[in-house]
Amino acid sequence: MEIAVILAVIAIIFIARSLKIVPQQNAWVVERLGKFDRTLTPGLSLLVPFVDRVAYKHSLKEVPLDVPSQVCITKDNTQLQVDGILYFQVTDPMRASYGSSDYIIAITQLAQTTLRSVIGKMELDKTFEERDLINGAVVNALDEAALTWGVKVLRYEIKDLTPPAAILHAMQAQITAEREKRALIAASEGRRQEQINIATGEREAFIARSEGEKQAEINKAAGEAAAIIAVADATADAIRKIAAAIQQPGGEQAVQLKVAEKAVDAYAHLAKANNTMIVPGNMSEVSALIGTAMTLMNKGAKPA
């Protein structure tokens, strides 16, 4: 009975050491008598008890690795506190087992030294602008070195860049000054454009007023010319009508009467203007004046 129990225990131990179930996205490295033998893939595998053993177990998933924060010196001798995170994946379980005693520590240390080297070649302002360049440089350096460790470095991301408090305060002051400068420039450009618009408007208004005044003068001159022509035409027409009326019977007597009336009126106005009563000394002067006027009218009436 006791022998049967012992044999059963031995059988269970033998089976337990012989059957191995590897989970998905995992790889186990098997050594036979202390020497690398093979890599177990996901699923059920058989081992030789007491001869084979699982020496290393690796996850083939993408692994995020927090790179400890460190102080880096920029090209312009400014200290920066840099914190980052690294993503890697085991691609060769055998090399990951035997290429390095601890590939995680190796990757972390190499990431820190590479980061210090890259930032040391840049000025402070560039470190904030060129994060992608820094990340790419770190990934390239790590990926080349990690090939011998059976690890693929996928990407590196800087989580935080923290300058000293004094530098941060100076940067804030610089940003404030730059914004104020842009505001002043924008305001001056606005005033300049306003002055240009006002000057342009005044020039256009002056041109419009001068054009209006010019057109008004032209219209006024045209109106005066038309008025002069109309008065001349009316005067000429009146003269023609008077001349035609004189040729009618009794026309000369009417003209003599009209001239006599005008003479009398003229004497009357002279008397009022000088506060003196002026009368002709000889009434024959009036007759002579009328005769002279009639003679002139008869000469003007005769055809040339």
Side-chain angles (χ1 to χ4, degrees):
M1 184 67 180
E2 294 178 357
I3 297 175
V5 173
I6 294 173
L7 291 176
V9 171
I10 294 173
I12 293 173
I13 295 174
F14 186 85
I15 294 172
R17 295 181 66 92
S18 299
L19 298 178
K20 298 296 181 181
I21 299 177
V22 181
Q24 183 66 33
Q25 284 296 94
N26 281 264
W28 292 0
V29 174
V30 176
E31 291 181 351
R32 175 166 292 177
L33 299 176
K35 182 180 179 181
F36 172 76
D37 182 62
R38 65 186 185 278
T39 300
L40 300 182
T41 57
L44 180 63
S45 300
L46 296 175
L47 300 181
V48 178
F50 308 106
V51 176
D52 296 338
R53 74 180 185 92
V54 176
Y56 300 96
K57 296 181 180 180
H58 299 286
S59 173
L60 302 181
K61 299 177 182 178
E62 182 176 337
V63 180
L65 177 62
D66 189 20
V67 179
S69 178
Q70 64 175 333
V71 176
C72 300
I73 307 298
T74 62
K75 185 177 181 180
D76 48 359
N77 295 323
T78 302
Q79 292 184 352
L80 274 180
Q81 192 78 19
V82 185
D83 189 11
I85 186 168
L86 182 68
Y87 297 87
F88 71 92
Q89 186 177 26
V90 175
T91 56
D92 190 338
M94 191 271 288
R95 288 189 177 183
S97 301
Y98 304 103
S100 173
S101 60
D102 193 333
Y103 61 84
I104 294 180
I105 295 178
I107 291 175
T108 302
Q109 294 297 322
L110 184 58
Q112 289 182 315
T113 56
T114 304
L115 184 62
R116 287 195 297 268
S117 175
V118 173
I119 290 181
K121 299 175 182 178
M122 294 183 176
E123 296 182 352
L124 178 61
D125 293 338
K126 288 293 183 181
T127 59
F128 296 100
E129 300 173 3
E130 303 291 346
R131 285 200 177 195
D132 292 339
L133 180 62
I134 296 173
N135 296 338
V138 173
V139 169
N140 292 334
L142 289 175
D143 195 36
E144 183 178 354
L147 289 177
T148 59
W149 305 333
V151 176
K152 173 68 175 177
V153 177
L154 302 176
R155 57 190 179 277
Y156 177 83
E157 297 291 341
I158 295 176
K159 292 195 296 184
D160 195 15
L161 285 172
T162 307
I167 299 297
L168 187 60
H169 179 72
M171 292 173 64
Q172 292 293 338
Q174 181 182 3
I175 293 172
T176 302
E178 186 66 26
R179 291 185 181 275
E180 291 177 353
K181 173 185 174 183
R182 289 201 296 264
L184 291 175
I185 292 174
S188 64
E189 287 292 333
R191 289 193 296 270
R192 173 175 171 272
Q193 190 61 42
E194 178 185 6
Q195 294 299 323
I196 291 174
N197 293 339
I198 291 174
T200 302
E202 291 178 351
R203 180 172 64 85
E204 293 178 353
F206 178 78
I207 293 173
R209 284 196 299 271
S210 64
E211 289 292 334
E213 292 173 357
K214 173 184 175 182
Q215 190 61 42
E217 292 294 332
I218 293 173
N219 294 340
K220 181 179 178 181
E224 290 177 352
I228 292 172
I229 292 173
V231 170
D233 290 341
T235 302
D237 186 57
I239 292 173
R240 284 194 296 269
K241 288 182 178 180
I242 292 171
I246 292 174
Q247 301 298 325
Q248 299 297 323
E252 293 185 1
Q253 291 81 4
V255 171
Q256 292 175 3
L257 179 60
K258 193 67 175 178
V259 171
E261 290 178 353
K262 293 292 184 180
V264 172
D265 289 338
Y267 279 115
H269 286 298
L270 285 174
K272 291 180 180 180
N274 297 298
N275 295 322
T276 304
M277 179 63 70
I278 300 174
V279 294
N282 188 357
M283 293 304 295
S284 62
E285 293 178 1
V286 177
S287 299
L289 178 62
I290 294 172
T292 302
M294 292 303 298
T295 301
L296 293 173
M297 291 182 59
N298 289 331
K299 288 181 179 180
K302 290 179 180 181

